[in-house]
Amino acid sequence: MTTSIHNPQLRLLNALRANNKPIMTFMGLPSFRTAQVIAQTGVDGIIIDCEHGHISDDSMHSAVAAIAAMGVSPLVRLRGTHSDLVKRALDAGAHGIVVPQINTAQEAEAIVSSAKFPPQGLRGQGSAFPGFALGIDTPTYIKTANETLITCVQIESNAGVQNVDAICAVPGIGVSANAMQDLVFIGPNDLALSVLGYVPAKGDEPEFVDAIEKIATAAGKHGKWVGRLSNSGASAKEHLKVFDTVAISYDIRAIQDWYKSELQVARS
């Protein structure tokens, strides 16, 4: 496993490799056109949210194709850890997967096994779609997928924090076990709920700060990229001083915030 393979279609991966601090966002609305609109904004990656969003399997396929066609990296946040969910997302052509609520090294190992073709894993081959989203033919896709697709795990619970060193030590979380090719993502809201018992966190609670620092330290120790959710451009700017990438807000929240803001002005 090396990091020598370069595909210009893989915008998020290439930006991470170049330390360009890429910015992503979440998409929860099931629309091909919504995917296109968001992809035109300048983001480097869009996480299609099959965990909390209103995204069906069909909508996920359409969004992956629409986003990739705009030169942006589509990632799919799964609704669970089952191997079928990994397979469906990657077979649709996702440039990577985001897996929520990873609490143990064993869970991380199972995800890696499902996401990698043999001999690194047990992923089966049969879909003609992934190559479309990466701009390559199927044989090239099979040959390069293990190195070029991002497998991102979310640490967002007290159990995950306690086991974060072992989770980050799992070979194959990301694109290469031997280089800065892996991504650990912090879900601050669920993390606050688990660690503090409430959301949102104020941000300065010692337990919350310690949990985030522990995750970031473990990621760095094991050569992983680390990212987190940011709720605004201002917070994203601050977070990018520390983190390798951020996901800024959510399409649903963006629509709500715009209407709330403009309605306040209109009614003032």
Side-chain angles (χ1 to χ4, degrees):
M1 301 285 285
T2 69
T3 59
S4 60
I5 296 169
H6 178 80
N7 181 342
Q9 294 288 106
L10 299 173
R11 179 167 169 172
L12 179 64
L13 175 61
N14 294 334
L16 284 166
R17 284 177 170 174
N19 194 31
N20 285 340
K21 303 285 186 172
I23 296 176
M24 303 180 284
T25 192
F26 281 92
M27 171 183 167
L29 296 174
S31 167
F32 178 89
R33 294 303 184 192
T34 300
Q36 286 183 314
V37 168
I38 300 171
Q40 278 193 321
T41 62
V43 293
D44 300 295
I46 299 173
I47 302 171
I48 302 160
D49 190 7
C50 294
E51 182 191 17
H52 295 302
H54 181 47
I55 307 288
S56 67
D57 195 67
D58 283 351
S59 298
M60 180 269 289
H61 261 266
S62 295
V64 166
I67 294 163
M70 302 293 290
V72 175
S73 288
L75 278 70
V76 175
R77 179 158 73 173
L78 311 179
R79 63 176 182 267
T81 59
H82 198 280
S83 59
D84 281 358
L85 302 177
V86 177
K87 177 167 58 178
R88 291 299 292 167
L90 294 180
D91 279 2
H95 290 189
I97 53 172
V98 179
V99 188
Q101 294 288 347
I102 294 298
N103 298 316
T104 67
Q106 290 75 23
E107 291 173 350
E109 288 167 355
I111 290 297
V112 170
S113 180
S114 299
K116 304 292 184 183
F117 287 123
Q120 283 81 21
L122 300 174
R123 181 184 172 193
Q125 189 278 322
S127 174
F129 303 129
F132 299 161
L134 277 73
I136 53 179
D137 59 29
T138 297
T140 303
Y141 176 82
I142 296 169
K143 189 183 298 183
T144 60
N146 283 4
E147 282 190 65
T148 55
L149 299 182
I150 295 171
T151 303
C152 171
V153 297
Q154 280 193 237
I155 308 295
E156 48 188 347
S157 72
N158 192 49
V161 173
Q162 298 309 310
N163 295 317
V164 69
D165 191 73
I167 292 169
C168 289
V170 171
I173 296 176
V175 193
S176 169
N178 301 313
M180 283 287 288
Q181 298 300 313
D182 312 316
L183 181 57
V184 177
F185 193 83
I186 298 170
N189 292 325
D190 279 342
L191 182 62
L193 194 59
S194 180
V195 172
L196 301 174
Y198 60 85
V199 289
K202 299 188 195 96
D204 59 357
E205 299 92 337
E207 305 96 324
F208 184 70
V209 173
D210 288 347
I212 290 178
E213 288 181 353
K214 189 171 182 179
I215 296 168
T217 299
K221 174 184 173 182
H222 295 285
K224 316 296 185 186
W225 291 308
V226 61
R228 63 161 294 163
L229 175 70
S230 299
N231 287 325
S232 67
S235 62
K237 185 175 182 178
E238 290 302 308
H239 292 154
L240 285 172
K241 295 176 182 177
V242 178
F243 296 91
D244 299 296
T245 182
V246 297
I248 182 170
S249 196
Y250 206 102
D251 59 345
I252 298 165
R253 186 178 297 119
I255 294 171
Q256 289 176 320
D257 287 349
W258 186 89
Y259 275 102
K260 287 177 181 177
S261 175
E262 296 307 312
L263 283 168
Q264 187 176 14
V265 171
R267 289 169 174 160
S268 63

